[in-house]
Amino acid sequence: MMKRLLVACLLLMVFSANAAEIKFLENPTWATVLEQAKKDNKMIFLDAYATWCGPCKQMDAETYTNQAVADYYNANFINVKYDMEKGEGAMLADRYYVSAYPNLVFISPEGVMLHKGVGFLAADDFLALGKTAKNPQTQYYTLKKEAQKLSNAQFLKFAEQAVELQDEDFGYISKDFLAAKPDILGDADLVELLMKYAFTLPKEKDLKYFADNKSKVLRAGKYTEDDFNERLVSLAIQFALSEEVQVTDEVDFEAVKGILDKYIPEQSFFVFNYFKTQYFLENKEMEPALSAFNEIIDHPDKVGYQQVCNAMMGFGPILHEEGKLDKYLEKFNAIKIPAKDAAQAYLKDFVKAIIYIKTKQTDKFKETANTMLASANTPEDVKKDLRQALQNIGN
C-alpha cells in the first residue's frame, strides 16, 4: 500500500512539473483586458502571433511551458494571446506596430506600450525580457521618452534595442542626439553608434567630419579601414536622401550625385547608378532601372570587377523575369578581368550559378557548378557550398 502511495505521489509530482505554463487569455475583448489590468494593477503581456508562424509555435512548446517563465509571467502580468489576422488582432497590430511574429508586447493598464521583443526567445532570454519590461529604468519606451537625456553609453544600448525593434522614429531620435554632441566621434560609444546604428547625420558638416576622421574610428580598435569605407558610403547615401538635401517629394538625383561625388568620389559612379537601379525597381519603372544598370555593366572600368559581379548577381533574377538575362550575361561574360582581380576570376561563373539557382534553372546551375568544381581556380570553400547545393537539389 505504501509503495502504491509513493508511486502515486511521484506521478503527481511529474505531472505537476510538466503542467507548467503561462495562463493566457485567448483573443479576449481588448476592452475587458484593459479593465482587468487596471483592476489588478498589472501590466499586460501580449503575445501577437499568426497561425502559420513556426517560431510562435516553438514559443508555445518550449518557452511558455518553462516553470520559471510560467511562475514569473503568471505572477506579474495579465497574459493574452491574439491572432493578428483575426478579430481585434488587426487593430492591435496597427496600434502596437506589429510587423513580425512573434511580437512580444508589454503594455500598461492604460494601453500604453512600454516594451517589446521580436522573434523566438528561449526561456532564459524570455524571462530576462519580462524583468526588463517590468523595470521602469529599463523599459524601452521609457528610455525612448528620455532618449535625449541619456549618457552616450545608455543611448548606445537604446539604439541597439531601437534597431532590433525596427522603431521608425529612431532615425530622428539619433539625429537629434548627435546634433547636441560637440564631437560626434568623442568617445568609443559614439564611434560605435555611428558605425552600427545611426541612420543619418544631422548636418553636412558632420558627414565631412566623419569622412575626415577615419583615424578616430580606427583608433577605437574595433573596425578596419574597409569597415570605415563601407560605413562612409552608407552615411553618404543616407545623408543625400535626407531632408537636409532633398527639398521636394521627388528625389533630386543630381543632389544625390553631388554628395556622393564629394564624399566617396572613387565609389560614386557605382553607388549612384546602383541606387538609381534599386530606386526605379522599387517604383516598378523598368526602363529607367535598366538604363541605370546599363551604366554599371557598360563601364566596368569605372565600377570595378567585384562590384560589377555584385550588381549582376543582385539584378540577374529581375533580368530573367524580363526575358533579358541571356543578353546581359553575354555582356557580363565579355568583361575583361583586370590583372589585379585574377584570383577572383571564378566569380563570373559563381554569379551565373547564383542567378540560375535563384531562378530555378536547375540544369544550367548543375552545368555551371560542375564546371566550377572541376576548376583548380575555384576556392575550396566555394566548392563545398556548390557540392551542398547540388546535393540539396538531388544531383
Side-chain angles (χ1 to χ4, degrees), residues 131-158:
K131 291 179 179 180
T132 298
K134 275 283 290 180
N135 184 349
Q137 301 302 313
T138 56
Q139 290 167 351
Y140 174 74
Y141 286 91
T142 302
L143 291 176
K144 182 176 177 178
K145 289 179 182 177
E146 301 295 321
Q148 303 306 324
K149 300 177 184 177
L150 297 177
S151 69
N152 295 344
Q154 290 171 328
F155 192 88
L156 181 62
K157 291 181 179 179
F158 164 74

Side-chain angles (χ1 to χ4, degrees), residues 269-286:
F269 182 85
F270 170 73
V271 173
F272 178 63
N273 285 293
Y274 194 77
F275 161 71
K276 287 178 69 178
T277 301
Q278 295 298 320
Y279 174 84
F280 288 122
L281 278 178
E282 288 177 10
N283 287 280
K284 303 186 186 306
E285 299 179 59
M286 184 54 60

Side-chain angles (χ1 to χ4, degrees), residues 2 30 38 59 101 146 211 240 288 294 313 351 381 384:
M2 182 62 69
W30 183 242
K38 290 175 184 176
M59 291 284 290
Y101 306 109
E146 301 295 321
N294 282 331
M313 192 184 306
V351 167
D381 58 335
K384 180 179 178 181

Side-chain angles (χ1 to χ4, degrees), residues 148 174-182 184 202-203 205-206:
Q148 303 306 324
S174 63
K175 191 174 178 180
D176 289 343
F177 185 79
L178 289 169
K181 299 297 168 183
I184 60 171
K203 300 289 183 181
K205 68 179 179 62
D206 300 304

